[in-house]
Amino acid sequence: MEILWVLMALVMLGFVLLQLSRRRRGAVGLVEPGHPDAADPANYGFAREEELDVRMPGPDQDLLDVLDLVQRTQDYRGAQQLLAGTEAEGERRWQRVQAFAGAASLELRQRPGGVGETPGGQWLRVWRAEAPKDAGGAAVHAEFLVQQAWRTATPGTDEFRIIMEEAKTACGEAALLAPGDPIPYLVELSVARGLGYSCEEFEQLWLKILDRAPNHMGAHLAALPYWCEKWHGSRELAYSFAEAAAARAPRGSLLAAMPLFAVFEHLPEVNLVSGFYQSEVVTKAVHGALHAVHSARPDDPMQAHVRHLLVFFLVRGERWAEAMNQLTVIDGHVGALPWTLSADPAAEFAVYRALAVAGYEANGGSPATLPH
């Protein structure tokens, strides 16, 4: 899968080079970097590729400050306090649990430990040992195990199943510590996919989430892959799940964007034909997602997830101005689909951003004409 994404990125990069020269009435020609006719994302105030934050989909300065403190001091208490002060049913708590777990997992991968060496992520182990009844630490530990399974083992192997079974147990422990908290059950959604829960088992798990947070966008995004044809469902089941969520979405909810995620989950492995991205099914899903972000609360932390995916589809559909409008909101962070599927999320995002800039300018746009 990663090889296909690399090949796609190379093809798209070639397309960028062609598009960068389409500056006069749509004419195509190759220009060198730094040429006066070359489109430059920096002209729009966009971050340089090396400055893009791959950890999160959007800004959360409190989280960044605490992550820096925890990793610098190896003291878990900042993370514990931040989660304790974050609304249990809200989207932000789920993102923060994922971020802390991901940080610990990455530390462990970078410093696996050895003779006389402390392994990375030791602060999470200390957290669980010193505060075994802390619900936040239990949830982070469960998510950490899930991420370890997906990152270090192959689905279907004994190693993968052993880690996932441990994660399932950790989810149960976290749920007992906070009965009304949906987060342990959100973590278990990934366990359910990895261990192949039956449809009945999965639906029972899903009902527990709906009882606690029926309009939780993160929960719906975590549940969707189970119903996809590459896992335990089909295209029809995934579309049905997404469309049902959109249909019952309350006013201002980002659930209206769910069909776009279902479309993304079922894209062909390689499809660079713009006509496909201008088809009725894609256009309808894009319009639903655009409506969702326009009507959602400005501070909804899930907006960034939707906007990142919109950039992908709008660029593929050659809707340059609309793609640029999304980029002005999300630029600087790339920790979201589809970029996180790439071995280098920042580079993948930068390719699409360059395409958007080139297409926008080829059609008469400029930094002066772009609303902010």
Side-chain angles (χ1 to χ4, degrees):
M1 182 65 182
E2 289 183 359
I3 294 176
L4 289 172
W5 274 100
V6 170
L7 291 173
M8 185 182 75
L10 291 173
V11 174
M12 294 295 288
L13 181 59
F15 184 53
V16 171
L17 295 176
L18 290 175
Q19 288 292 330
L20 290 179
S21 62
R22 299 192 65 174
R23 306 305 305 282
R24 294 183 181 176
R25 297 182 182 178
V28 178
L30 190 63
V31 296
E32 297 293 330
H35 188 281
D37 266 354
D40 187 357
N43 292 337
Y44 296 83
F46 293 149
R48 298 174 62 86
E49 182 179 328
E50 59 270 22
E51 298 171 344
L52 294 170
D53 192 325
V54 302
R55 296 170 294 180
M56 298 183 299
D60 184 346
Q61 193 58 49
D62 288 341
L63 173 60
L64 288 178
D65 292 342
V66 172
L67 267 175
D68 176 68
L69 177 66
V70 169
Q71 294 187 303
R72 180 163 38 84
T73 65
Q74 291 295 295
D75 187 338
Y76 68 86
R77 286 175 293 182
Q80 182 184 36
Q81 292 169 5
L82 183 64
L83 286 182
T86 306
E87 180 188 9
E89 296 79 14
E91 305 282 358
R92 197 172 296 280
R93 180 178 173 85
W94 172 228
Q95 292 189 4
R96 288 173 173 177
V97 166
Q98 289 180 300
F100 286 130
S105 179
L106 181 59
E107 282 185 38
L108 183 58
R109 184 172 62 182
Q110 294 172 338
R111 301 193 309 277
V115 178
E117 181 185 9
T118 302
Q122 183 66 18
W123 54 270
L124 179 55
R125 297 180 184 84
V126 175
W127 187 356
R128 293 297 295 130
E130 293 186 354
K133 301 299 183 182
D134 181 64
V140 172
H141 179 238
E143 173 65 16
F144 166 81
L145 290 171
V146 166
Q147 294 194 25
Q148 283 295 100
W150 291 110
R151 288 176 175 173
T152 66
T154 302
T157 63
D158 289 342
E159 180 186 6
F160 181 84
R161 177 168 289 277
I162 289 170
I163 301 175
M164 277 297 188
E165 290 287 359
E166 186 180 355
K168 181 179 180 180
T169 299
C171 288
E173 294 171 352
L176 288 174
L177 291 172
D181 188 349
I183 300 300
Y185 301 105
L186 265 72
V187 178
E188 193 178 349
L189 289 171
S190 188
V191 175
R193 176 160 54 97
L195 293 181
Y197 281 23
S198 69
C199 291
E200 292 75 17
E201 290 174 316
F202 189 86
E203 287 172 349
Q204 289 176 8
L205 172 61
W206 183 239
L207 286 175
K208 293 177 182 178
I209 295 173
L210 292 183
D211 285 343
R212 292 161 175 81
N215 299 316
H216 199 291
M217 179 69 173
H220 283 79
L221 291 180
L224 177 63
Y226 177 90
W227 295 114
C228 293
E229 62 184 7
K230 59 188 172 185
W231 286 103
H232 309 293
S234 64
R235 182 188 301 264
E236 293 72 25
L237 285 172
Y239 278 29
S240 176
F241 175 80
E243 289 165 1
R248 67 170 183 271
R251 182 177 180 83
S253 169
L254 288 165
L255 289 176
M258 282 302 299
L260 188 63
F261 287 87
V263 170
F264 177 76
E265 289 285 354
H266 293 88
L267 288 177
E269 290 286 359
V270 177
N271 191 327
L272 302 178
V273 180
S274 62
F276 171 80
Y277 295 92
Q278 296 165 352
S279 64
E280 181 179 356
V281 64
V282 173
T283 299
K284 182 179 178 181
V286 166
H287 285 172
L290 286 169
H291 172 74
V293 296
H294 290 156
S295 59
R297 298 191 329 269
D299 63 343
D300 190 323
M302 295 304 293
Q303 270 213 48
H305 287 274
V306 181
R307 291 184 185 276
H308 278 289
L309 197 62
L310 275 169
V311 169
F312 173 88
F313 278 98
L314 292 170
V315 167
R316 289 293 193 90
E318 300 181 3
R319 297 168 64 167
W320 313 116
E322 291 170 290
M324 291 293 287
N325 289 337
Q326 301 304 318
L327 285 167
T328 61
V329 179
I330 61 170
D331 189 75
H333 298 83
V334 295
L337 287 175
W339 328 121
T340 50
L341 295 178
S342 169
D344 189 343
E348 185 78 2
F349 174 83
V351 167
Y352 277 79
R353 186 177 63 183
L355 276 169
V357 170
Y360 182 64
E361 295 189 355
N363 287 275
S366 70
T369 61
L370 183 65
H372 287 81

